[in-house]
Amino acid sequence: MPDRVLAAIRGQPWAIVPEYLAAIEAVAMRLMTAPALEALRLDGHGERHDHLLGAVAAMGVRLEGARGATVRDGVAALPIFGPIFPRAQSMSLSSGGTSLDMLAADFRVAVASSAVSQILMVVDSPGGLVSGVAEFADLVRSSAKPVTAFVAGSGSSAAYWIASQAGELVVSSIALVGNIGVVVSASTQEAPDQNGRRAVEIVSSNAANKRPDLTTKEGLAVIRAELDRVESVFIGDVAAGRKVSRDTVLQDFGRGGSLVGAAAVKAGMADRVDTLEATLLRLARLRTTAPTGQRRALAERELEVRHRRAGVS
């Protein structure tokens, strides 16, 4: 069973901090004392997530119809914590995380709810599987209601892909954002396996790219071309969300690394440095202080979206 799970992990592209991918593989192999897991236990993310979950819970009451979102003063808070997976079942690959299908369902509930005027995504994630991220990023970018992303500890890779689509991106003073890029984990058979047998795969004659030989330049080029295609979508979405050129993303947004707090704001990757509570209070005030014309425009946009979903022209 662990080998099949590991094969599933290594068969898909990830937009994640590499250390976390190593940790997910360790969990899949049940190597609970692996160095990658020990390093994560010491990075403070567990305590930070507990604190953030408490903060989100304290933001108000559970949003009616949602599973993980809360609402207070017209602001719906959606947590995006831990590794990101397309479905809840996939989270068995790790010790927790965020399910995109559940997150998307909560997001749609928030957009449709008359109790919600602003959406706040609270982010602390190293990224995750690529599958489904572009679709959710588009959902955020085209939202009928204003969306703000607040990055507390880490908004990396797939998490930054999503957060960059918000109308405003706020970071804490120590938040890490960026890590733009795509990675795939793989292995090659260098020696006989533990049973004394060498693993062998035979691929049909006209499907050499189904199992490229990673010990050759040609095989690596096949994998890298696939990753580059996904990365191109990633970069395009970030550029659209942050309203900058692709070249700006390539040159100024960390080059695959991360920027911290104010440095991320200076580079254009985020809009301001603030705290979670201050951000929530500011968004709540916007509900009552926005000019009448803006409130009317928001209401009209919400109505248009609801009619479109209901099939009303």
Side-chain angles (χ1 to χ4, degrees):
M1 174 67 104
D3 289 341
R4 289 200 297 271
V5 176
L6 187 61
I9 292 171
R10 291 178 171 173
Q12 303 178 72
W14 294 73
I16 194 169
V17 175
E19 292 81 359
Y20 271 82
L21 182 53
I24 289 170
E25 289 192 358
V27 171
M29 296 299 292
R30 300 173 184 169
L31 302 175
M32 306 313 291
T33 59
L37 281 173
E38 290 297 324
L40 291 190
R41 290 190 184 105
L42 297 175
D43 77 352
H45 77 279
E47 294 83 356
R48 193 169 63 242
H49 287 179
D50 288 343
H51 171 75
L52 288 169
L53 281 170
V56 170
M59 284 180 182
V61 298
R62 180 66 57 87
L63 177 63
E64 184 177 356
R67 298 183 65 175
T70 60
V71 61
R72 170 178 145 194
D73 297 329
V75 181
L78 281 70
I80 304 176
F81 299 159
I84 296 169
F85 298 97
R87 292 167 298 279
Q89 299 93 312
S90 306
M91 293 197 298
S92 61
L93 300 178
S94 77
S95 57
T98 293
S99 159
L100 274 182
D101 58 353
M102 292 171 58
L103 182 64
D106 279 5
F107 192 93
R108 291 187 176 98
V109 168
V111 170
S113 173
S114 60
V116 174
S117 58
Q118 302 266 349
I119 298 173
L120 174 63
M121 300 187 300
V122 184
V123 181
D124 189 2
S125 167
L129 275 168
V130 164
S131 178
V133 173
E135 291 77 9
F136 184 72
D138 182 67
L139 185 65
V140 173
R141 188 169 60 245
S142 60
S143 171
K145 292 180 178 176
V147 182
T148 297
F150 177 85
V151 178
S154 176
S156 297
S157 220
Y160 183 71
W161 190 339
I162 292 168
S164 68
Q165 305 309 296
E168 182 183 42
L169 205 170
V170 185
V171 295
S172 75
S173 60
I174 59 169
L176 290 167
V177 294
N179 215 269
I180 297 170
V182 185
V183 63
V184 66
S185 174
S187 64
T188 58
Q189 189 75 28
E190 298 292 346
D193 62 23
Q194 292 180 347
N195 296 320
R197 293 176 299 175
R198 185 179 296 275
V200 175
E201 284 188 333
I202 301 175
V203 178
S204 58
S205 301
N206 296 307
N209 288 346
K210 183 179 288 290
R211 290 289 188 272
D213 184 353
L214 301 182
T215 65
T216 67
K217 291 182 179 179
E218 293 78 11
L220 290 174
V222 170
I223 298 297
R224 186 167 288 113
E226 293 176 358
L227 297 181
D228 286 349
R229 284 191 287 271
V230 177
E231 183 189 65
S232 179
V233 177
F234 189 167
I235 290 170
D237 280 352
V238 171
R242 296 302 302 160
K243 297 179 176 58
V244 297
S245 68
R246 293 177 65 96
D247 283 344
T248 295
V249 175
L250 291 170
Q251 298 298 321
D252 300 338
F253 281 26
R255 292 175 174 263
S258 299
L259 296 181
V260 180
V265 174
K266 183 177 181 180
M269 298 178 72
D271 297 301
R272 66 168 74 196
V273 175
D274 211 337
T275 65
L276 176 56
E277 183 63 20
T279 300
L280 177 65
L281 291 174
R282 179 170 55 83
L283 294 179
R285 285 197 299 270
L286 286 176
R287 183 188 193 192
T288 56
T289 60
T292 303
Q294 290 183 16
R295 294 200 299 271
R296 184 182 299 114
L298 176 59
E300 290 173 352
R301 188 178 180 191
E302 289 181 36
L303 185 61
E304 177 186 348
V305 170
R306 290 180 188 178
H307 283 178
R308 189 163 60 246
R309 287 176 179 159
V312 178
S313 59

